[in-house]
């Protein structure tokens, strides 16, 4: 349901420039009369949804897009209202935002940073969007967040789990609802120590980009603090589809746990290869060999099928939660699409509502007014329980879920079970934590663009 924009060459789908995967110069222009970039003047306002519609994270991206479209319907007063009915803030009235109907354009990030920047640039310069939401790759999120900072646009990050997004690469114009690698490790490590013991030797396979690096660093630090030893860490390319050559050395490493710092199609393929090698059937160091997937999603679990049974991981949210916000969103999403939403869908839905709500509370689309409304904002009713948007780094803080592949699923969506809801205090850290850039990390100043 992509919108289109007219060019002198005809009709071009927004973000089509990104198809070539070529980075464009980041030069932004705005009318000197405008108070800020893309100040809406008519009866409508436009949001930009930049998600992977192709590439290894495409399944996640398409589910994000479904949720984003649903959020727009609810903001505009269509459908059943979803989580707007349970959201603690009542600034949105189901009549658009500040009297303007919300429209949207979409782009394909291809899970490539240059393509994502080109797509975002097209949305800002050609389509006049006031906000960009999306992700599914932290490399993409960091790149687009930097672009939005330069352009004077708010970036409401989608699925991005790297510590760097709200760590060393944090920006005043960027905000993240999704949890991060440190939080996953802080929630997961105590459960792993309880289930598998404190005398374990771990071998890591790690996606070779910002998310994989910080995920591996976080889970290694947390498990080592529990007594585990890290035997090896091997980086794997994001474009890899066959991980057999990476799995084989694990057999002779002396490790008794394999940690797959992979996501999306990468995780499905690497886990499948590990099962094919019979790793989970082996006894090593007198212990049953185990596999851990630090970051889970429902879509990954479905793709991995029976291979996921008994495997531990963490999630930002899950459709099986019974709070009122979750039930409202799941019901609305299910009615429209005939399936439960993924946690990537939920975070994009929440981010779209949170942006619109901040505009309504600020009484302005000016990105600096919106940023001020989001900083330190405490809310509930969107499906994660009580949540804080911390002012110092624009990271949301909330409870974290520890998950396990269900042994006896009842249907194709019942692949994961919630093992523990880790309280927010256990996953909270100081804004100047070393894994997040230390004392030198800074948001900088908000850029309104014009």
């Amino acid at each position: 349901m992509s919108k289109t924009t007219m060019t002198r060459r005809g009709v071009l789908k927004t973000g089509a420039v990104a198809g070539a995967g070529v980075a464009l110069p980041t030069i932004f222009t705005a009318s000197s009369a405008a108070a800020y970039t893309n100040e809406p003047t008519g009866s409508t306002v436009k949001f930009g949804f930049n998600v992977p519609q192709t590439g290894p994270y495409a399944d996640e991206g398409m589910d994000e897009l479904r949720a984003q479209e649903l959020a727009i319907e609810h903001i505009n007063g269509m459908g059943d209202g979803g989580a707007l009915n349970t959201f603690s803030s009542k600034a949105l009235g189901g009549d658009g935002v500040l009297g303007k109907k919300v429209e949207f354009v979409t782009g394909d990030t291809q899970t490539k940073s240059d393509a994502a920047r080109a797509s975002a640039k097209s949305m800002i310069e050609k389509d006049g969007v006031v906000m960009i939401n999306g992700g599914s790759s932290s490399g993409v999120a960091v790149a687009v967040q930097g672009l939005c900072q330069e352009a004077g646009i708010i970036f409401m990050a989608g699925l991005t789990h790297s510590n760097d997004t709200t760590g060393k690469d944090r920006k005043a114009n960027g905000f993240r609802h999704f949890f991060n690698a440190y939080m996953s490790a802080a929630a997961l490590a105590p459960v792993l120590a309880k289930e598998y013991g404190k005398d374990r030797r771990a071998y890591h396979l790690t996606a070779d980009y910002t998310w994989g690096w910080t995920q591996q660093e976080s889970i290694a630090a947390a498990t080592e603090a529990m007594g585990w030893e890290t035997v090896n860490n091997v980086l794997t390319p994001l474009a890899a589809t066959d991980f057999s050559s990476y799995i084989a050395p694990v057999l002779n490493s002396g490790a008794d746990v394999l940690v797959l710092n992979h996501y999306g199609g990468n995780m499905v393929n690497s886990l499948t290869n590990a099962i094919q090698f019979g790793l989970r059937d082996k006894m090593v160091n007198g212990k049953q060999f185990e596999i851990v997937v630090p970051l889970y999603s429902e879509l990954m679990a479905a793709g991995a099928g029976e291979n996921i049974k008994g495997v531990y991981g963490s999630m930002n949210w899950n459709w099986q939660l019974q709070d009122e916000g979750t039930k409202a969103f799941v019901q609305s999403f299910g009615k429209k699409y005939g399936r439960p939403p993924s946690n990537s869908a939920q975070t994009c839905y929440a981010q779209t509502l949170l942006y619109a709500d901040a505009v309504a509370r600020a009484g302005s689309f000016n990105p600096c007014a919106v940023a001020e409304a989001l900083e330190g904002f405490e809310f509930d009713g969107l499906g994660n329980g009580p949540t804080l948007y911390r002012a110092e780094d624009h990271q949301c803080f909330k409870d974290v879920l520890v998950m396990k592949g269900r042994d006896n699923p009842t249907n194709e969506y019942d692949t994961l079970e919630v093992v523990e809801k880790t309280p927010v205090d256990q996953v909270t850290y100081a804004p100047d934590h070393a894994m997040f850039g230390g004392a030198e990390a800074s948001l900088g100043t908000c850029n309104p663009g014009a």
Side-chain angles (χ1 to χ4, degrees):
M1 299 230 4
S2 302
K3 301 289 182 179
T4 57
T5 183
M6 296 298 296
T7 71
R8 277 181 273 185
R9 291 176 293 176
V11 178
L12 174 70
K13 180 181 177 182
T14 298
V17 174
V22 178
L24 301 181
T26 56
I27 301 172
F28 296 94
T29 59
S31 166
S32 60
Y36 48 90
T37 300
N38 294 338
E39 180 179 7
T41 56
S43 60
T44 62
V45 64
K46 199 168 293 182
F47 294 177
F49 297 141
N50 206 24
V51 303
Q53 299 181 50
T54 57
Y57 295 173
D59 287 347
E60 304 288 339
M62 295 310 293
D63 218 39
E64 289 179 339
L65 196 55
R66 295 181 189 104
Q68 289 160 335
E69 181 179 347
L70 184 63
I72 297 301
E73 290 183 6
H74 293 165
I75 291 168
N76 286 333
M78 302 164 61
D80 59 11
L84 275 185
N85 299 320
T86 57
F87 189 19
S88 57
S89 175
K90 303 303 178 186
L92 294 171
D95 55 354
V97 184
L98 298 185
K100 299 181 185 296
K101 180 182 178 182
V102 181
E103 299 178 342
F104 68 93
V105 293
T106 71
D108 181 8
T109 70
Q110 305 173 44
T111 321
K112 298 176 181 177
S113 296
D114 57 352
R117 283 176 66 94
S119 179
K121 184 175 185 290
S122 176
M123 292 179 182
I124 296 167
E125 292 197 333
K126 296 182 179 181
D127 299 305
V129 301
V130 295
M131 177 273 277
I132 288 180
N133 167 240
S136 288
S137 158
S138 289
V140 162
V142 168
V144 174
Q145 179 170 258
L147 180 89
C148 290
Q149 180 69 36
E150 297 167 16
I153 292 293
I154 290 291
F155 177 61
M156 300 295 284
L159 194 164
T160 168
H161 193 242
S162 170
N163 293 340
D164 292 346
T165 308
T166 47
K168 70 179 184 63
D169 295 313
R170 69 185 72 164
K171 293 289 186 288
N173 284 46
F175 292 83
R176 170 162 61 179
H177 173 266
F178 206 69
F179 71 154
N180 57 48
Y182 176 95
M183 294 173 173
S184 283
L188 194 53
V191 175
L192 295 177
K194 178 182 176 182
E195 294 297 322
Y196 300 148
K198 296 183 178 182
D199 180 23
R200 282 285 186 165
R201 307 186 76 219
Y203 192 110
H204 292 246
L205 293 182
T206 300
D208 190 12
Y209 75 106
T210 179
W211 169 67
W213 306 331
T214 66
Q215 176 61 79
Q216 193 279 330
E217 178 188 26
S218 298
I219 195 70
T223 53
E224 286 169 10
M226 297 287 176
W228 288 26
E229 176 188 349
T230 300
V231 174
N232 201 359
N233 177 40
V234 177
L235 300 178
T236 62
L238 187 59
T241 55
D242 186 349
F243 294 87
S244 300
S245 62
Y246 296 100
I247 300 294
V250 179
L251 296 167
N252 300 315
S253 68
D256 47 49
V257 177
L258 174 61
V259 181
L260 294 176
N261 300 298
H262 289 158
Y263 194 76
N266 288 162
M267 191 287 291
V268 172
N269 291 330
S270 62
L271 178 60
T272 299
N273 289 154
I275 298 300
Q276 289 171 342
F277 272 80
L279 286 186
R280 295 191 74 193
D281 299 325
K282 296 186 179 299
M283 296 292 292
V284 180
N285 305 323
K287 305 176 182 71
Q288 183 71 46
F289 195 98
E290 302 290 353
I291 299 175
V292 177
V293 177
L295 179 60
Y296 254 142
S297 84
E298 300 89 344
L299 299 173
M300 287 161 50
E306 291 198 357
N307 294 335
I308 213 74
K309 290 183 177 181
V311 175
Y312 283 91
S314 69
M315 290 181 72
N316 183 68
W317 172 90
N318 181 269
W319 67 271
Q320 298 171 87
L321 294 174
Q322 291 301 302
D323 61 273
E324 294 305 311
T326 290
K327 289 193 289 186
F329 173 53
V330 170
Q331 178 179 345
S332 189
F333 190 98
K335 187 184 302 181
K336 184 173 178 66
Y337 299 112
R339 57 183 293 172
S342 64
N343 72 153
S344 56
Q346 189 268 344
T347 206
C348 282
Y349 177 84
Q351 283 283 70
T352 304
L353 295 189
L354 285 165
Y355 171 80
D357 173 77
V359 170
R361 289 187 292 109
S364 173
F365 287 98
N366 186 310
C368 297
V370 175
E372 185 176 349
L374 284 168
E375 289 178 342
F377 181 49
E378 296 183 60
F379 60 92
D380 201 350
L382 291 185
N384 288 94
T387 303
L388 166 69
Y389 240 132
R390 189 161 70 177
E392 291 88 348
D393 52 8
H394 296 181
Q395 172 66 55
C396 272
F397 286 84
K398 52 194 180 295
D399 296 344
V400 169
L401 304 181
V402 176
M403 310 294 294
K404 185 174 75 169
R406 193 181 294 279
D407 291 326
N408 298 296
T410 58
N411 58 62
E412 62 181 305
Y413 306 113
D414 183 35
T415 51
L416 297 172
E417 60 178 307
V418 179
V419 174
E420 178 182 282
K421 194 171 185 181
T422 305
V424 63
D425 289 348
Q426 186 176 319
V427 302
T428 298
Y429 52 88
D432 62 352
H433 190 287
M435 285 188 182
F436 293 82
E440 295 181 359
S442 172
L443 285 168
T445 57
C446 177
N447 177 23

